[in-house]
Amino acid sequence: MAVAVLVAASLVAGTGPAAAATSATSAGPAEVAPEAGGYWATSYEPGTPRPAGFPARGQARNLRGETTEVTTTVRDVRSGHPNDTSAREGVNSLSDQDSGTKWYARDSGRPTEAEPVYAIYTLRAPAAVTGYSLTSANDAPPRDPAAWTVLGSDSDSAATDADDSSWHVLDQRKEERFGARGQTDFYPVTAPHAYRHYQLRVTDNCADRCQGSTDDRSKLQLADWTLRGSAGSTAAGLGAAVENADSVGAADGSAALRYAGRVLAPGPASSTVVLRSGLDVPLVRGSRLSYAVRPDDAASAHVALDVRYTDPDGRRPRTREVRTANGKLTPGEWNTVSAGLGALAGKHVSDILLRYDDAHAKPGPGPRGWIDDVSIGKAVVDASAGWSYLDTPDVDPARGNEDRTAWTRTGFDAGDVPWQTAAGPFGAKNDGTGLGAGFPVRTKLRLRKDAGDSTEAYFFRTSFSMDRASLDAISGLVGTVVYDDTVTVYLNGRRIAGHGDGEITKNLQYETPDGTPGEGDPATARFGVPASALRPGTNTLAVEIHQCNSTSSDVYFGPGPLTQTTGSLPFTEEQLGTSYASDTQPAAPGGGDYFTWLLRSFAAARNEPSVMGANEVLPKGTTYEELTAIDDRTVIDINNAPSGPADPQIHKALVDGANSPYRTMADGLGTTLGRLYEQSLKNGELPKTEALLSGRVEHTPDSPADWYQTAKNNYRYKRPFVRMGFTDDQGLIKPWDSPGGYAGLAGDGSFPSGHTSHGYAQGTVLATLLPELAPQILARASEYGDNRILLSFHYPTDIMGGRIVGEKTAQLRWSDPEFRTLLEQAKTELRAVLVQKCRETGAGESLTRCAGRGTPYLPTDEALQVYKQRMTYGFPHIGAEGLPPAVPDGAEDLLRTSHPKLTGAQRRTVLAATQIPSGSALDEQGDGGSWQRIDLAGAMTAKVTAHHDGTLTVNGVRVNAGGTRTGE
């Protein structure tokens, strides 16, 4: 679902937060109840996972309650073919509402009536399902389900027995087909009843009726099974959700907003959903609202988008209806609706609304359809823009200028260069333009097959005008470009973005064979233009496209709209590509690798038999009682605790291990805020935050190498599953991961844990960006590390070492003044986006209030206890006890956001006062301080009072500068 907000002055980001506030009114006896899930998102790019969305809220007389997707209440998922050892293809993936994961029923064979393949959902509480949807998975079509039955049961025995006599048939389908990968199809349940258990019973797959290999005919896969219904028995507003729209040919991309409802009684009925709130879009002459709408039938055609607008000062809100010229929509087809808003010039749009209004509604399944391609305002560059382009062989657009980018600047003298003018998209495929249905070509380019390494490059220019008032009101511009094989984007001669162009040094040049491969369809990229790159008057946007090599058979340039925004822009390539002081590891005393030195206390732990076992493989048949090291015993205690592979913690551990911590740890923010954070990431609304957490915090611009790897190679301690073996071969470890997962890490050292270092680096940074939730986020980071023990990839000592590496990495970034500016910008972005989403969902006006609306990951006191316990895992002390606090240099910078009013020295005092006692495993007792003693969660939440004599009261205890009690 792509939504663009195009303005001439100020606005909130065009691909900004999703809205969810819903209202419904009844003009007579009829009411509209939600049927699809009450979720919607304003930004959805083709090829990305379907957003999870936000709950809508009913706000009108006689119509209250909340719409929901019932799958969000699933407590347990079971199957006879669960594929539990896969993080992305296990049966739990069926309920995650993410088309990027799937359930692959490994070894199921082809389903039949006699041998069906089933999945059973157990809900947290009984719920009535009015419909459901299935989403096809990524691989071969023969694996798709083609016949199935959906059943419901109130009996708890049904949770573990697919053949239990209590099952009731709710819907049955045969000879079904999916038209595309990742396609979502919807099915009604005509007689809903509140069941606790639901079963999807597949009795056939597409097999030989769908094109694919013979091997795939005996396999079954499905991306998502989503149950849909109302969260209450009372009526609520029209349901709206972003869904995959391949089955109806999405107007823009592969997904669109789906609306659906149920009319409860005959007569006039209406409902309004706020699709986007919190806007501040000033309207000018030429501003328009346009969108595409596809009603399923005539009864569903009574829909329209409206705008709510105010005076420039935000007062006198009013609503304007926007309809087609004749007021009618054609069912079953995409209808383009566009209306001028120039009459409202000077007003400001605050909301976009979806309204259903039928004076003669009939009871039953009512409005159903799709909305897509929504835009409001006026783009600085739109699809109709003319471009100067150059596709002539061996002609340099810069005319031999020493600066090869001279042609990208405003006012450049083109001389005799044969530029042409046309509108995009531009492209070619061999002798034609057939790049596929998703890549239309309006202007054909000359595709050449000349020899050599300096041909087949393409150049494009267009201009637009900006006034000073507009520049002062925006943060910049956002745009998209579709390209093949490489692209570089310039604004007024400044390189704004580039993809696959790392080896391009000349205008007339192929990408080297070692660079961009060129296979596959054209790619889509988003880019941002900071306001600092713009100027009053004429601005020039320029794009160059290169081929990967002389055999490339196609070229493509599809310019998207360039729109203004006051929202967050991605970091520039210059910001991310700059080498900062913290990109260089500190010098280790005496030379050598810094992180090997930082973890040098590992030697003492390794030499203490009560803590760590000898670095050798144990004989088969070794018993738990024969283990003497607490490190070994703790691994067995944690690894052996689950009753089986269906244990939810096993699935969580597998998901943690297969994904980036900053994504999987969203639940550390609680059920409400975590969901909004997840959606923000999926929508691309947190470009700065994601850029740092996904790599820039831990890596340098010129190397993806992990800083801990040298230490791991130096210490080379064998992993638990290597030393102690698996239970199916007279060992002690239960193999919860796949055989390939274990085999892939068997030769790599165990200390420190690399996954844990990533988890703590990303988790610590996230905690500093959201210090109100620091205990919960850090406790979740500790769980991320603990899950590596659960899978027996690591020991507790490895987790302790990974925490030290991760927190040191985060500290280095916060202690670097120049890199700190990136962190502060990410903090501003993250908080602004989440606060806006909280307001739109009615969850609160602040992050604290919003987080409190849902279930927290853990209560604060419990989170602090969990974090502290996993600092040492309760291991016995092996070093000197009673030593004074020892805070590592720079550690105080991790408290900048949680204690912004304290000085650096005072923050060091807080760290000292909250340290755990000396002597635990990995406690460094020499020079340089001890990261093992730093209780970061405790320090970030400490209650601190500063006194005139330089002392502090920390958590009720008065301490001196060294963090020790003063005696007062």
Side-chain angles (χ1 to χ4, degrees):
M1 173 66 193
V3 175
V5 181
L6 324 172
V7 303
S10 64
L11 85 161
V12 175
T15 53
T22 303
S23 65
T25 60
S26 177
E31 294 178 329
V32 179
E35 187 159 288
Y39 302 122
W40 190 72
T42 57
S43 175
Y44 188 85
E45 298 300 328
T48 62
R50 177 172 62 85
F54 303 95
R57 189 175 72 253
Q59 293 181 332
R61 178 175 58 85
N62 299 327
L63 293 174
R64 58 188 182 276
E66 295 187 357
T67 60
T68 186
E69 291 184 357
V70 179
T71 300
T72 61
T73 66
V74 170
R75 189 192 70 182
D76 187 39
V77 186
R78 293 177 181 269
S79 173
H81 299 278
N83 197 11
D84 286 319
T85 59
S86 175
R88 299 183 64 82
E89 298 187 349
V91 72
N92 282 283
S93 296
L94 199 59
S95 65
D96 64 3
Q97 301 178 48
D98 182 351
S99 61
T101 62
K102 70 180 181 183
W103 171 39
Y104 169 47
R106 184 180 298 277
D107 302 324
S108 66
R110 180 175 178 176
T112 65
E113 291 280 356
E115 297 290 338
V117 180
Y118 67 87
I120 296 174
Y121 286 172
T122 296
L123 308 186
R124 297 187 184 279
V129 169
T130 58
Y132 65 94
S133 65
L134 300 182
T135 302
S136 61
N138 60 334
D139 280 332
R143 302 182 181 187
D144 290 343
W148 61 83
T149 303
V150 173
L151 310 98
S153 172
D154 288 319
S155 173
D156 286 342
S157 61
T160 56
D161 186 356
D163 297 317
D164 191 83
S165 60
S166 65
W167 288 108
H168 298 276
V169 174
L170 303 177
D171 188 53
Q172 201 163 23
R173 301 282 165 169
K174 291 184 178 181
E175 296 298 328
E176 294 288 333
R177 297 282 185 89
F178 291 93
R181 302 300 86 206
Q183 175 178 312
T184 301
D185 288 341
F186 302 87
Y187 308 92
V189 172
T190 56
H193 174 78
Y195 291 111
R196 178 84 184 277
H197 311 285
Y198 287 87
Q199 179 185 168
L200 175 66
R201 191 178 183 91
V202 181
T203 52
D204 197 7
N205 63 1
C206 201
D208 53 347
R209 289 161 292 181
C210 288
Q211 186 174 2
S213 70
T214 302
D215 289 343
D216 285 317
R217 297 176 185 176
S218 60
K219 300 175 181 178
L220 179 69
Q221 65 173 23
L222 186 65
D224 285 301
W225 173 36
T226 302
L227 306 178
R228 302 169 182 275
S230 173
S233 59
T234 56
L238 187 71
V242 169
E243 304 286 359
N244 190 293
D246 284 343
S247 57
V248 293
D252 181 13
S254 62
L257 181 149
R258 180 178 184 268
Y259 61 88
R262 179 181 293 270
V263 178
L264 303 182
S270 64
S271 179
T272 300
V273 182
V274 181
L275 299 185
R276 181 69 166 88
S277 69
L279 297 173
D280 182 20
V281 182
L283 299 175
V284 297
R285 293 182 60 184
S287 292
R288 303 187 69 81
L289 172 68
S290 62
Y291 59 95
V293 55
R294 188 185 191 278
D296 284 3
D297 51 35
S300 305
H302 300 276
V303 295
L305 292 194
D306 300 338
V307 296
R308 184 174 292 143
Y309 64 94
T310 68
D311 292 339
D313 59 6
R315 298 180 179 179
R316 299 182 64 213
R318 286 146 286 173
T319 299
R320 182 181 181 89
E321 299 180 3
V322 181
R323 293 184 178 272
T324 55
N326 59 8
K328 295 182 179 180
L329 302 174
T330 303
E333 297 181 6
W334 283 103
N335 301 260
T336 299
V337 181
S338 181
L341 299 177
L344 302 178
K347 308 297 184 183
H348 287 222
V349 172
S350 59
D351 306 277
I352 301 176
L353 317 173
L354 169 61
R355 176 170 47 84
Y356 166 76
D357 191 355
D358 186 358
H360 306 286
K362 297 180 180 180
R368 294 171 178 270
W370 304 83
I371 300 285
D372 202 3
D373 200 9
V374 182
S375 65
I376 182 172
K378 185 177 180 181
V380 296
V381 176
D382 59 24
S384 65
W387 290 77
S388 296
Y389 72 100
L390 177 63
D391 65 348
T392 304
D394 300 319
V395 175
D396 178 5
R399 301 174 61 202
N401 193 303
E402 184 176 346
D403 177 7
R404 78 174 190 89
T405 65
W407 64 277
T408 68
R409 294 194 288 271
T410 301
F412 176 70
D413 183 5
D416 57 357
V417 174
W419 291 90
Q420 305 176 70
T421 302
F426 301 83
K429 174 71 173 180
N430 293 322
D431 295 330
T433 58
L435 284 92
F439 309 101
V441 173
R442 185 172 181 179
T443 301
K444 182 181 178 181
L445 296 173
R446 282 181 280 187
L447 183 69
R448 305 175 301 281
K449 291 296 164 193
D450 300 331
D453 63 354
S454 60
T455 56
E456 294 197 70
Y458 304 84
F459 308 91
F460 307 85
R461 286 168 48 100
T462 193
S463 296
F464 58 91
S465 182
M466 298 285 292
D467 57 55
R468 171 51 62 186
S470 296
L471 292 176
D472 290 343
I474 64 175
S475 58
L477 309 176
V478 291
T480 60
V481 58
V482 185
Y483 65 94
D484 192 310
D485 292 315
T486 80
V487 66
T488 310
V489 181
Y490 303 91
L491 197 290
N492 295 331
R494 175 179 173 180
R495 184 179 187 271
I496 295 299
H499 298 273
D501 62 341
E503 301 297 326
I504 300 297
T505 59
K506 298 184 297 183
N507 281 334
L508 302 177
Q509 176 192 340
Y510 291 118
E511 169 73 353
T512 64
D514 293 333
T516 298
E519 289 92 1
D521 291 333
T524 299
R526 297 181 63 193
F527 62 91
V529 180
S532 59
L534 300 165
R535 62 184 63 156
T538 301
N539 292 264
T540 298
L541 179 67
V543 176
E544 63 178 287
I545 301 287
H546 290 261
Q547 297 288 63
C548 62
N549 53 47
S550 61
T551 62
S552 182
S553 63
D554 57 359
V555 62
Y556 195 78
F557 169 51
L562 187 64
T563 67
Q564 302 174 67
T565 182
T566 58
S568 182
L569 293 172
F571 286 122
T572 66
E573 293 197 0
E574 180 181 1
Q575 287 175 300
L576 294 179
T578 294
S579 181
Y580 296 92
S582 54
D583 285 324
T584 302
Q585 293 185 30
D593 175 64
Y594 174 78
F595 282 96
T596 299
W597 173 83
L598 183 69
L599 298 170
R600 62 197 182 280
S601 55
F602 175 74
R606 183 175 52 190
N607 293 330
E608 175 51 61
S610 66
V611 173
M612 296 184 65
N615 191 21
E616 58 188 29
V617 176
L618 300 180
K620 290 183 179 182
T622 299
T623 65
Y624 177 85
E625 290 71 21
E626 292 176 288
L627 299 176
T628 59
I630 192 171
D631 224 15
D632 294 343
R633 283 183 168 238
T634 304
V635 171
I636 304 303
D637 291 342
I638 295 174
N639 168 262
N640 284 196
S643 59
D647 188 296
Q649 194 63 38
I650 294 293
H651 179 70
K652 193 172 188 179
L654 292 171
V655 171
D656 271 357
N659 296 277
S660 297
Y662 75 95
R663 287 185 175 274
T664 67
M665 294 195 302
D667 58 337
L669 280 62
T671 55
T672 296
L673 201 58
R675 190 179 182 89
L676 302 184
Y677 171 72
E678 284 185 296
Q679 171 122 40
S680 301
L681 290 173
K682 290 178 179 178
N683 284 0
E685 297 172 83
L686 298 172
K688 288 184 169 68
T689 305
E690 186 162 19
L692 297 186
L693 294 179
S694 66
R696 192 60 183 89
V697 163
E698 298 182 79
H699 299 134
T700 66
D702 56 357
S703 173
D706 294 316
W707 282 352
Y708 58 78
Q709 191 60 48
T710 299
K712 186 185 287 279
N713 294 340
N714 285 335
Y715 291 119
R716 297 198 61 78
Y717 193 75
K718 299 182 187 299
R719 293 179 181 263
F721 68 89
V722 173
R723 289 184 55 246
M724 294 185 279
F726 295 116
T727 53
D728 56 8
D729 189 27
Q730 301 182 58
L732 293 166
I733 299 298
K734 290 186 177 180
W736 302 125
D737 205 330
S738 65
Y742 288 111
L745 293 176
D748 192 31
S750 187
F751 180 86
S753 167
H755 275 77
T756 303
S757 72
H758 294 309
Y760 273 102
Q762 296 170 35
T764 300
V765 170
L766 185 59
T768 61
L769 303 184
L770 298 171
E772 304 95 326
L773 292 170
Q776 287 78 13
I777 295 171
L778 291 172
R780 179 63 178 94
S782 76
E783 182 190 19
Y784 187 91
D786 195 67
N787 280 337
R788 302 306 288 169
I789 304 175
L790 180 67
L791 299 179
S792 78
F793 284 113
H794 287 288
Y795 308 89
T797 47
D798 302 341
I799 306 309
M800 299 174 204
R803 174 174 51 80
I804 291 171
V805 172
E807 290 185 350
K808 177 62 182 181
T809 301
Q811 173 261 305
L812 289 172
R813 294 310 194 182
W814 273 107
S815 296
D816 181 346
E818 293 185 347
F819 196 93
R820 191 186 307 147
T821 62
L822 305 185
L823 292 164
E824 290 168 342
Q825 290 178 43
K827 177 173 176 281
T828 299
E829 170 194 79
L830 176 61
R831 300 176 71 83
V833 169
L834 291 182
V835 166
Q836 174 70 6
K837 287 188 179 297
C838 289
R839 290 171 178 167
E840 291 183 342
T841 57
E845 296 294 314
S846 68
L847 291 181
T848 302
R849 186 180 295 267
C850 185
R853 286 293 297 270
T855 302
Y857 170 71
L858 287 173
T860 296
D861 288 347
E862 188 176 343
L864 291 170
Q865 292 172 6
V866 166
Y867 179 84
K868 181 177 285 188
Q869 192 276 333
R870 288 179 180 151
M871 288 179 65
T872 65
Y873 280 88
F875 281 20
H877 285 192
I878 59 175
E881 300 182 276
L883 297 179
V887 178
D889 289 342
E892 65 273 11
D893 288 315
L894 292 177
L895 302 188
R896 282 180 173 271
T897 60
S898 61
H899 298 290
K901 296 181 180 181
L902 299 183
T903 66
Q906 290 172 328
R907 289 192 289 267
R908 289 184 63 82
T909 299
V910 173
L911 288 168
T914 55
Q915 272 193 354
I916 65 173
S918 65
S920 63
L922 300 194
D923 174 28
E924 179 49 51
Q925 302 188 332
D927 295 334
S930 175
W931 279 101
Q932 173 64 350
R933 293 187 224 168
I934 295 294
D935 181 359
L936 186 60
M940 292 186 75
T941 55
K943 295 178 174 59
V944 182
T945 302
H947 304 290
H948 292 298
D949 63 357
T951 62
L952 299 179
T953 295
V954 180
N955 294 332
V957 177
R958 194 137 179 180
V959 296
N960 59 25
T964 58
R965 185 186 293 267
T966 62
E968 295 186 24

